Amino acid sequence: MSVLTLTHIGGPTTLLEVEGWRILTDPTFDAPGRTYRFGWGTSSRKLTGPAIPAADIGPIDAVLLTHDHHADNLDDAGRLLLPAAGAVVTTASGANRLGRGTVGLRPWDTTLLRAAGRPDITVTATPARHGPAGSRPVVGDVVGFALTWPGQEHGALWISGDTVLYDPLRTLPQRVAVGTAVLHLGRVGFPLTGPLAYTMSGADAVELVRLLRIPTVVPVHYEGWSHFRQGRASVLAALAEAPDVASRFRWTAAGEPLSLVV
């Protein structure tokens, strides 16, 4: 049995502490108020700052970066943390941009986190598509991450990354048994692209959790930026129609640790 302590810092940024490891996902620590350009006429304003300042995070053994090219997943203050991290794992294209020994993975590639006195953690990149069909050349590469280590009881710890619900996610159970999912939601959209969605909605989450039979879900990355179209209230509205799924969601206030048996 392992106990995972998960601290949602804001946006997608989450500190994962398990078996002596301290792992940070998608570091974003800039102050709120700035508008960031995402390219192709899209942008977003950061509305909420981190619950824990970068200076107070402490030592980080690894950073899991679902993608490096959007500031709501890696901002200026987050970039400053990367050189001190023990390992940085991201997309293959992102590793080329970041350099400095960054590990780049394509979907279903794996890498191993190793340290004396701690169990090895296998990190497997999982598929993600940050928008509608055909959008990858515009929005760029994204991956999720499945983490496994000896002693897990309920399956892999999965960070979905910024993705819509599409067929490779529906078939995820053929490759990975997910025990705990950190789901990026928010149904991102932009005025320029009208009704098109670039991340999952609450209804998508319901479908995915049922398909993957995920026992525990921690939602993140659904508030704090102007490009989100669905905040917590919208997700809760979808869950109200699916009590079997709602009971699996664990909501956590930013900055407050949540302990889970994984």
Side-chain angles (χ1 to χ4, degrees):
M1 180 183 73
S2 294
V3 176
L4 167 70
T5 300
L6 182 153
T7 306
H8 181 210
I9 294 167
T13 310
T14 306
L15 178 64
L16 308 170
E17 298 175 275
V18 65
E19 300 288 356
W21 288 95
R22 303 184 82 247
I23 300 169
L24 190 67
T25 69
D26 288 352
T28 56
F29 290 93
D30 285 357
R34 179 176 164 189
T35 296
Y36 298 81
R37 306 294 174 185
F38 295 151
W40 299 87
T42 62
S43 65
S44 184
R45 184 175 180 83
K46 187 172 186 178
L47 305 175
T48 305
I52 302 172
D56 295 341
I57 287 297
I60 297 298
D61 299 306
V63 169
L64 301 180
L65 179 57
T66 64
H67 58 300
D68 69 302
H69 53 282
H70 292 157
D72 62 323
N73 295 85
L74 180 66
D75 59 18
D76 293 341
R79 287 179 186 272
L80 294 177
L81 290 179
L82 299 185
V88 178
V89 184
T90 189
T91 62
S93 57
N96 288 333
R97 287 186 290 267
L98 293 174
R100 296 192 301 269
T102 306
V103 177
L105 302 180
R106 293 179 174 83
W108 303 120
D109 287 348
T110 64
T111 190
L112 202 61
L113 302 179
R114 309 193 79 167
R118 306 173 202 166
D120 295 348
I121 295 181
T122 300
V123 178
T124 302
T126 59
R129 193 183 75 201
H130 198 355
S135 64
R136 194 180 303 277
V138 175
V139 300
D141 295 328
V142 180
V143 292
F145 297 104
L147 279 61
T148 56
W149 60 88
Q152 284 175 312
E153 286 190 357
H154 304 299
L157 168 62
W158 179 49
I159 298 97
S160 71
D162 287 4
T163 184
V164 295
L165 177 56
Y166 72 131
D167 285 345
L169 292 191
R170 293 185 175 94
T171 60
L172 199 66
Q174 298 174 14
R175 306 286 292 266
V176 177
V178 178
T180 300
V182 179
L183 288 189
H184 292 209
L185 301 179
R187 200 185 184 280
V188 163
F190 303 96
L192 182 69
T193 55
L196 296 179
Y198 292 83
T199 58
M200 286 187 284
S201 67
D204 294 331
V206 169
E207 180 181 349
L208 184 65
V209 170
R210 282 176 172 161
L211 283 172
L212 272 59
R213 300 179 180 179
I214 305 172
T216 304
V217 180
V218 181
V220 300
H221 211 25
Y222 55 85
E223 291 177 331
W225 289 81
S226 65
H227 63 325
F228 290 127
R229 296 293 179 263
Q230 286 194 355
R232 178 169 176 169
S234 296
V235 178
L236 287 172
L239 293 176
E241 304 296 322
D244 59 311
V245 173
S247 64
R248 309 179 205 184
F249 270 62
R250 299 292 301 273
W251 297 89
T252 177
E256 295 186 7
L258 172 67
S259 293
L260 302 168
V261 176
V262 294

